[in-house]
Amino acid sequence: MSYPKTGNEVFVSFSLSNTMFSGIGKGTITREEVSADYLKSLFEKYGVIVSAKPEQRKLLENVNSIYDLKLDIPENLKIIQLSEKNRRLVVISVQGLRRINGSLLPQYSEEEFQEATFSFVKYYIQSRHYDELTTENAKLKKELDAEISWRTRVSDI
């Protein structure tokens, strides 16, 4: 199965960096842990672009094998940057593997790979900032309260 090319693909990576967010400007980031089934439907709707180092090939193969995500395995690292069109990033979190200075190693033994567990975190960028949304929400609540008050008023007649 191949995911569609939509122009609004979801980015997938094993890491998160500030440079990934530099194309967005001011906005609000939401973060949520998601399931592999959720990711499959998300990828089927928007498509997917994988950003991984060549030495992470075995990790991607394991993720595909365990979760049947059918992610393409890139030959070279694709540098990704979120934008107005590409607002979703999924970070594959890996637990149970040795690290050096917080980074995954270039190679692991087969036994070490068997110890690895994975989880998925989706980041979504809204172009409107949280403060702006909060202000708009407060204004709408005030207008709604005034409307309810007017409609439920008791007449003196």
Side-chain angles (χ1 to χ4, degrees):
M1 172 188 164
S2 179
Y3 295 115
K5 302 288 184 212
T6 64
N8 298 307
E9 284 80 8
V10 178
F11 292 130
V12 174
S13 181
F14 283 105
S15 62
L16 185 65
S17 75
N18 279 334
T19 58
M20 292 176 174
F21 297 102
S22 61
I24 291 292
K26 189 175 183 179
T28 299
I29 301 171
T30 57
R31 177 195 179 279
E32 69 177 309
E33 290 190 34
V34 294
S35 69
D37 288 336
Y38 173 86
L39 290 179
K40 288 176 193 176
S41 65
L42 191 69
F43 298 160
E44 287 170 4
K45 183 174 182 180
Y46 295 105
V48 63
I49 296 173
V50 178
S51 174
K53 298 175 185 172
E55 59 265 22
Q56 294 171 325
R57 177 181 199 85
K58 183 70 173 163
L59 286 171
L60 275 174
E61 289 171 352
N62 283 0
V63 167
N64 280 339
S65 173
I66 295 167
Y67 300 101
D68 194 33
L69 288 177
K70 298 178 178 70
L71 295 171
D72 287 337
I73 300 174
E75 294 298 318
N76 299 306
L77 176 65
K78 293 180 184 175
I79 303 300
I80 57 176
Q81 187 177 56
L82 295 163
S83 67
E84 291 299 316
K85 291 177 71 175
N86 302 93
R87 298 174 168 273
R88 293 168 185 83
L89 168 67
V90 172
V91 175
I92 302 171
S93 179
V94 183
Q95 297 83 34
L97 292 178
R98 291 181 298 120
R99 297 170 188 263
I100 293 182
N101 297 326
S103 296
L104 293 168
L105 304 179
Q107 291 185 341
Y108 293 98
S109 70
E110 199 57 44
E111 294 79 29
E112 288 175 306
F113 275 122
Q114 297 304 316
E115 296 294 318
T117 59
F118 304 94
S119 60
F120 308 99
V121 177
K122 181 186 81 168
Y123 294 84
Y124 179 75
I125 313 305
Q126 290 178 237
S127 61
R128 297 181 66 195
H129 192 269
Y130 176 80
D131 294 342
E132 179 184 337
L133 293 170
T134 302
T135 301
E136 182 179 335
N137 190 38
K139 179 182 174 219
L140 290 171
K141 183 177 182 337
K142 183 177 177 184
E143 290 172 1
L144 178 61
D145 289 345
E147 179 74 15
I148 291 170
S149 177
W150 184 84
R151 289 183 183 266
T152 58
R153 72 188 185 283
V154 176
S155 177
D156 289 338
I157 303 176

